[in-house]
Amino acid sequence: MSKPQELPVDIAAAKPVAAADWLRFAGISKRFGSFTALNGVDLNVRKGEFVCLLGPSGCGKTTLLRILAGLESQDGGTLSLAGHDIGHLPPAKRDYGIVFQSYALFPNLTVAGIIGYGLRTGRAARDQRVRELLALVGLPGSEDKYPAQLSGGQQQRVALARALATSPSLLLLDEPLSALDAKVREHLRRELRTLQQKLGVTTLMVTHDQEEALALADTIAVMNQGRIEQVGTPEQIYRQPASRFVAEFVGKANWLPVQVGEDRVARINEVPLMFDVPGSGAAVLFCRPEDVCVDAHWSPATPLMAYVERVDFLGNVRRATLSLSAARHISLLADMAPHDPGLVNLVPGQLVPIRLPAERLRLFAGVGL
């Protein structure tokens, strides 16, 4: 069998493809010995979209990014960009810029040398491009500095400028902010999102940080054990998790065991919580801590009562650990803002009325605690 011709991806000459199929992973699989790193991964990325591959260590997200970059080869499946099959092209032919967690800056080169390293232009044009990129990432006038003279955040900006130097079709980010302290990371996160939107470059970022994914992404692909569990907007992933894994990995979660009767009502100890739900028998309800309402006074609208076990101050909210009065082994978290009327009741040992708004509950049938 002849080897596929190794041509660079010519985006301008690409045949028209559907907007949602601009970058397409189809059935991507990868094994390392007996370990299955990727198991039939399908993912479509729109042009100009910011996609986060989110998941725990070992879930396959970095392997998927490395396959896209040509640093690993897939065992099965196809990979296409702008209608071109790029799955067998070498890295240099795939038209991307990449930023690693470790920055990977040449210590013996100046900032100008690092950013301009891959540019094949005359010196004047290269110097002009370096100045433009340094202004873009907020480091004007840093051309003559060496990496050792820069802070971690500044080094990451240089790495980003280097990745963008050739105006690539794709920007690949492998945990680019994880080595930075929290304050710098949050600042660079905002700048990275602003820069990506300004340039309109299609971006795939690997992260295990759910807060980072929620803040940056247009679309999040949650991965687990070599598969994609759910693809959606940050709000969809957070509010409408498709599986228990997604619900637990992204944000805090409450889980309440319920019984669903033949009347299609979900109950805890005979207290109705949700109506017109599918199926019958044992199930579990999911809700977020901010969706648990602690009321100032009991009323027929708050049939559930709970004891306050603990209250933690988290700055913008107080997080109460509650246990249901009718089933003390069932606990849940409730986040309350300073203006919430029920905040005065958050005293350990206090019996308080609670509400669980039906529109914020999600039923996972047949899933035990």
Side-chain angles (χ1 to χ4, degrees), residues 331-348:
S331 64
L332 66 162
L333 301 174
D335 285 354
M336 301 193 67
H339 60 270
D340 289 336
L343 188 65
V344 295
N345 289 334
L346 291 188
V347 179

Side-chain angles (χ1 to χ4, degrees), residues 100-214:
F100 296 102
Q101 177 181 349
S102 61
Y103 316 143
L105 303 180
F106 301 117
N108 59 325
L109 292 184
T110 63
V111 167
I114 292 168
I115 296 174
Y117 186 81
L119 295 175
R120 300 293 178 259
T121 61
R123 180 169 181 174
R126 184 171 63 249
D127 291 347
Q128 176 62 25
R129 180 62 174 159
V130 168
R131 287 193 294 271
E132 290 173 356
L133 288 162
L134 285 173
L136 191 66
V137 299
L139 288 176
S142 301
E143 292 89 338
D144 296 329
K145 292 184 178 180
Y146 287 88
Q149 297 173 293
L150 304 175
S151 68
Q154 290 172 328
Q155 289 182 40
Q156 192 60 290
R157 291 169 193 257
V158 172
L160 184 60
R162 178 184 58 187
L164 294 170
T166 58
S167 300
S169 298
L170 291 172
L171 176 61
L172 310 183
L173 307 172
D174 187 6
E175 307 245 19
L177 308 179
S178 61
L180 304 173
D181 65 61
K183 199 163 189 177
V184 174
R185 186 165 64 244
E186 184 177 352
H187 180 66
L188 280 186
R189 182 193 302 162
R190 292 194 299 269
E191 292 198 346
L192 176 60
R193 182 56 169 149
T194 300
L195 181 61
Q196 188 271 337
Q197 290 175 324
K198 179 179 179 180
L199 298 176
V201 60
T202 307
T203 303
L204 268 76
M205 185 175 82
V206 163
T207 183
H208 65 274
D209 186 327
Q210 53 175 286
E211 184 179 328
E212 195 166 88
L214 292 171

Side-chain angles (χ1 to χ4, degrees), residues 248-259:
E248 291 184 326
F249 189 77
V250 181
K252 293 290 185 181
N254 287 313
W255 299 99
L256 302 172
V258 297
Q259 284 292 325

Side-chain angles (χ1 to χ4, degrees), residues 42-326:
D42 297 316
L43 179 64
N44 291 351
V45 179
R46 298 189 306 273
K47 187 174 183 180
E49 190 174 20
F50 196 125
V51 175
C52 279
L53 303 175
L54 174 67
S57 298
C59 71
K61 58 188 186 296
T62 296
T63 300
L64 189 63
L65 192 78
R66 288 177 62 83
I67 286 174
L68 175 57
L71 304 177
E72 296 282 357
S73 59
Q74 70 268 30
D75 296 330
T78 59
L79 180 61
S80 61
L81 176 65
H84 292 271
D85 184 349
I86 64 170
H88 298 285
L89 296 180
K93 304 291 185 179
R94 296 198 184 192
D95 192 27
Y96 67 82
I98 190 166
V99 179
F100 296 102
Q101 177 181 349
S102 61
Y103 316 143
L105 303 180
F106 301 117
N108 59 325
L109 292 184
T110 63
V111 167
I114 292 168
I115 296 174
Y117 186 81
L119 295 175
R120 300 293 178 259
T121 61
R123 180 169 181 174
R126 184 171 63 249
D127 291 347
Q128 176 62 25
R129 180 62 174 159
V130 168
R131 287 193 294 271
E132 290 173 356
L133 288 162
L134 285 173
L136 191 66
V137 299
L139 288 176
S142 301
E143 292 89 338
D144 296 329
K145 292 184 178 180
Y146 287 88
Q149 297 173 293
L150 304 175
S151 68
Q154 290 172 328
Q155 289 182 40
Q156 192 60 290
R157 291 169 193 257
V158 172
L160 184 60
R162 178 184 58 187
L164 294 170
T166 58
S167 300
S169 298
L170 291 172
L171 176 61
L172 310 183
L173 307 172
D174 187 6
E175 307 245 19
L177 308 179
S178 61
L180 304 173
D181 65 61
K183 199 163 189 177
V184 174
R185 186 165 64 244
E186 184 177 352
H187 180 66
L188 280 186
R189 182 193 302 162
R190 292 194 299 269
E191 292 198 346
L192 176 60
R193 182 56 169 149
T194 300
L195 181 61
Q196 188 271 337
Q197 290 175 324
K198 179 179 179 180
L199 298 176
V201 60
T202 307
T203 303
L204 268 76
M205 185 175 82
V206 163
T207 183
H208 65 274
D209 186 327
Q210 53 175 286
E211 184 179 328
E212 195 166 88
L214 292 171
L216 283 170
D218 296 310
T219 298
I220 297 173
V222 183
M223 298 188 66
N224 181 34
Q225 297 182 341
R227 293 180 179 273
I228 291 181
E229 293 252 346
Q230 185 177 359
V231 178
T233 65
E235 187 168 358
Q236 287 170 337
I237 296 295
Y238 186 79
R239 288 290 176 198
Q240 302 165 17
S243 68
R244 179 152 186 170
F245 172 82
V246 175
E248 291 184 326
F249 189 77
V250 181
K252 293 290 185 181
N254 287 313
W255 299 99
L256 302 172
V258 297
Q259 284 292 325
V260 180
E262 296 295 335
D263 57 357
R264 299 170 66 90
V265 176
R267 295 177 172 88
I268 293 181
N269 287 355
E270 301 305 318
V271 177
L273 296 176
M274 288 183 75
F275 298 87
D276 197 29
V277 296
S280 63
V284 66
L285 281 180
F286 154 81
C287 68
R288 298 291 184 191
E290 64 268 24
D291 298 330
V292 178
C293 301
V294 178
D295 285 346
H297 307 285
W298 181 90
S299 74
T302 53
L304 283 176
M305 302 294 289
Y307 286 98
V308 179
E309 303 289 348
R310 175 189 174 98
V311 180
D312 294 307
F313 176 70
L314 302 181
N316 59 330
V317 298
R318 280 181 169 82
R319 175 165 294 162
T321 302
L322 310 173
S323 62
L324 297 184
S325 60

